[in-house]
Amino acid sequence: MLFTVRDPPDDRELAAADDPEAARSAARKERRVEAWTRWAWAGTTATACLAMTHPLGVARARLAADVTPRADAARRLFRGPTDALHVAGKREGWRGPWRGLGASLLHLAPHWAAQTAIYTSLTERLPADTADRAQWWFPWAKLGCAAAASTASAAVAHPLDTLATRAMVAGGLGFRELPPVMPGGRPGRGTLGALRSLRVDWGGPGVARGLYRGFLPAVLRAAPASTLHLIAYDLFRTGAVLAAPGTAAAI
Amino acid sequence: MMAAASTSSSSWVGPLWWRSASARAADEATARAEAERKTRQSARIEALVRDPDHATRQALRLHRKPAGPRAVESAKYMGLHVLATAGSAGVALTATAPLARATILLQCEGLFAQGAASAASDPGPASASGGSQPTSGRGLPRAPMGPAHGLASPGPALGGGGLPPAGLGGSGRHRRAYSPAFSGHPAHCDSLVPRSGSGPYRSTLDALFGAARREGVAALWRGHGAALLRLVPEAALRFAIQARKGDVGEAKPACTACALVKDLIGKEPDSSDPPSSDVAPPPPGPVSGAVHRAGPP
């Protein structure tokens, strides 16, 4: 027997026997719809995850932006992530830990979309047959695709990352408020406030330069981070499978 | 067919004629079922031969994971997923944390305005309202809720932080107040930090080594704990959302380590698992392997 037969043919398969061309195009369409559905669903998941864990992102940005020198260690702004969140809540109210959420979501959209689209389109160009997939270079090609996608998406979305980071940090203990969006108004908030602060700091034509501050380290870290992530994920997965056989499907 | 008939009537105890009639009926039923099965099989094989995409569709259906609740119900699965996802991301984040800190330092240039150290000795006019503010144990003013205009500021000599008082606002004052060249922090005023027209950090290396020199090498990982903490709820949320849809396990990395383990122990790491989308042998037929490209990573 050439094929392992598991199910009787359903109506669709019997119809496919009558009109192979129509069945083929229907299958293609079905695959495309499925891919787009999964893409949209994964995007929604990423958005929800980012939004729900945003306070920890705020704490991380504020801790990292603190440049108190070692000699003044006792005067550091925060003792740790929980302290940073506690202080943010005390000083700025419930909005404190959620500062810059809109800017972060704005950053996530192009970053995630670019990363996914580039990775998918690159891996689609890899050979898909068994012989090539078994070659030694295949995993490394896939890692290269992931690294390229991460680097490109980090580069594309960096200006929005700058705005998000500034929006998260500004107004916290020890950090300036963003300048008002309108002259003489209340302190600025979010993406527009961050953009205005860049304009004030760097001058009108210098906004682009301000937006791309930190571009080099952000782009440089993308490729090693994604490569390490995938290799470590693979090791963790292999370890879990060796430790508890039968659980690979969960990871 | 005879084997099936004898099996079906082997447990019957009764008169011979009755038993043989029963066996005959069973034989006929089995024969009918067998004929139907063969008809279905031949139709299926015809469909397979005539439709090249059939194998792909079949493989897609067979490789689809069972519905999500199975995984959701199992805390073990969730723990493994969180461990693998958050652990691997944590490794990558830890290794590249210095670069991430340098990025944030450069991005937030000019926002740091913790001038309390110099404000104590050199209170400027802008910090006059900060005198009666509650002070934390670390000597930092902890203003009550509201606009942080009361933050102690080093004064105009250092281009101090905070917004100018309402009514005095104007683009010129803002430009001075937010000038990144004078963030107001003592660390930006010492000789370690090279001054240039553009700001305290001349380059990425300057940000990295400057931070390491002023704050210590360990400070390159400052804030990293929060980034690590964030990974755990994120992985759990991702699992909870995607497992409900039955998509967990769809995204597989390149199987570098699997190949390594296979080489080391001379066999597949886990042959008892159902075939996953990455390590499974491709489906038979002329379109082998197309199933692996069915969706995004």
Side-chain angles (χ1 to χ4, degrees):
Chain A
M1 189 74 186
L2 184 59
F3 301 105
T4 308
V5 178
R6 310 222 177 181
D7 292 329
D10 51 23
D11 294 343
R12 200 176 47 169
E13 287 161 3
L14 291 176
D18 295 335
D19 191 353
E21 187 52 43
R24 222 169 288 139
S25 74
R28 271 198 298 273
K29 187 181 173 191
E30 188 184 340
R31 277 203 296 273
R32 205 174 305 129
V33 167
E34 192 181 356
W36 276 101
T37 310
R38 288 178 56 190
W39 195 75
W41 186 258
T44 312
T45 307
T47 308
C49 289
L50 177 83
M52 289 183 190
T53 58
H54 183 73
L56 283 167
V58 171
R60 192 260 188 282
R62 291 184 177 182
L63 283 163
D66 177 9
V67 292
T68 309
R70 185 168 29 181
D72 263 349
R75 301 173 67 85
R76 272 190 194 137
L77 294 175
F78 313 108
R79 282 184 288 260
T82 49
D83 188 39
L85 288 179
H86 179 70
V87 170
K90 280 274 184 193
R91 283 186 81 249
E92 305 159 58
W94 65 269
R95 282 194 185 88
W98 297 96
R99 274 202 162 201
L101 176 61
S104 289
L105 292 176
L106 206 62
H107 162 245
L108 174 75
H111 184 273
W112 184 84
Q115 188 168 22
T116 313
I118 294 172
Y119 181 77
T120 310
S121 64
L122 285 179
T123 46
E124 271 183 355
R125 281 165 174 71
L126 290 177
D129 52 297
T130 323
D132 277 329
R133 290 174 66 86
Q135 295 289 322
W136 65 269
W137 49 262
F138 189 83
W140 300 103
K142 231 170 167 184
L143 288 180
C145 292
S150 300
T151 307
S153 56
V156 164
H158 186 75
L160 288 171
D161 184 37
T162 303
L163 292 181
T165 311
R166 286 181 83 90
M168 283 193 271
V169 167
L173 174 68
F175 299 101
R176 291 177 179 151
E177 287 282 0
L178 295 172
V181 178
M182 301 300 290
R186 298 172 59 191
R189 289 273 185 272
T191 316
L192 283 182
L195 200 60
R196 171 100 175 114
S197 79
L198 281 177
R199 186 158 185 274
V200 168
D201 280 356
W202 297 90
V207 169
R209 188 178 174 187
L211 283 173
Y212 278 94
R213 285 298 276 175
F215 179 76
L216 195 63
V219 166
L220 281 181
R221 79 179 272 269
S226 80
T227 307
L228 271 175
H229 188 178
L230 287 185
I231 292 179
Y233 181 89
D234 218 11
L235 286 172
F236 270 100
R237 185 170 180 271
T238 309
V241 165
L242 286 176
T247 53
I251 308 175
Chain B
M1 195 184 299
M2 292 309 293
S6 64
T7 305
S8 66
S9 57
S10 60
S11 58
W12 177 257
V13 179
L16 263 182
W17 63 270
W18 178 250
R19 184 180 172 183
S20 62
S22 158
R24 259 201 314 278
D27 282 353
E28 283 164 10
T30 314
R32 272 198 304 275
E34 183 74 8
E36 280 175 16
R37 197 175 67 81
K38 283 193 169 172
T39 314
R40 282 201 303 269
Q41 272 192 7
S42 57
R44 186 181 182 83
I45 290 169
E46 277 177 23
L48 280 170
V49 171
R50 292 172 64 179
D51 177 17
D53 277 341
H54 181 94
T56 305
R57 283 205 308 278
Q58 181 70 11
L60 271 174
R61 193 161 60 244
L62 295 180
H63 285 211
R64 196 167 290 156
K65 300 288 182 295
R70 184 190 71 126
V72 176
E73 287 163 8
S74 169
K76 184 174 76 172
Y77 282 4
M78 184 154 183
L80 281 173
H81 180 81
V82 170
L83 180 71
T85 312
S88 55
V91 169
L93 277 186
T94 307
T96 58
L99 283 172
R101 171 114 207 268
T103 308
I104 293 180
L105 282 178
L106 287 163
Q107 285 174 330
C108 296
E109 213 168 57
L111 282 180
F112 191 85
Q114 198 267 325
S118 50
S121 57
D122 179 24
S127 65
S129 63
S132 60
Q133 300 226 334
T135 305
S136 75
R138 283 159 285 167
L140 296 171
R142 296 221 166 167
M145 284 162 46
H149 293 175
L151 259 187
S153 153
L158 289 172
L163 281 173
L168 295 178
S171 60
R173 285 187 65 94
H174 282 168
R175 186 176 295 274
R176 280 198 300 278
Y178 284 91
S179 170
F182 304 105
S183 74
H185 193 274
H188 288 173
C189 302
D190 61 22
S191 58
L192 291 176
V193 182
R195 282 296 181 80
S196 66
S198 60
Y201 301 117
R202 282 179 307 184
S203 64
T204 304
L205 288 181
D206 186 26
L208 265 178
F209 290 118
R213 216 164 29 214
R214 279 193 311 275
E215 309 165 37
V217 175
L220 292 178
W221 278 266
R222 187 177 289 175
H224 182 56
L228 287 184
L229 265 183
R230 186 180 192 172
L231 294 175
V232 177
E234 202 169 293
L237 275 171
R238 200 172 287 269
F239 181 88
I241 295 174
Q242 295 201 347
R244 189 162 291 278
K245 189 175 164 289
D247 252 7
V248 167
E250 291 290 342
K252 294 291 188 299
C255 258
T256 319
C258 283
L260 185 69
V261 169
K262 198 171 95 177
D263 287 346
L264 285 178
I265 66 179
K267 67 183 182 67
E268 292 283 348
D270 184 10
S271 54
S272 63
D273 275 336
S276 66
S277 63
D278 201 290
V279 296
V287 286
S288 67
V291 63
H292 301 295
R293 296 183 291 163

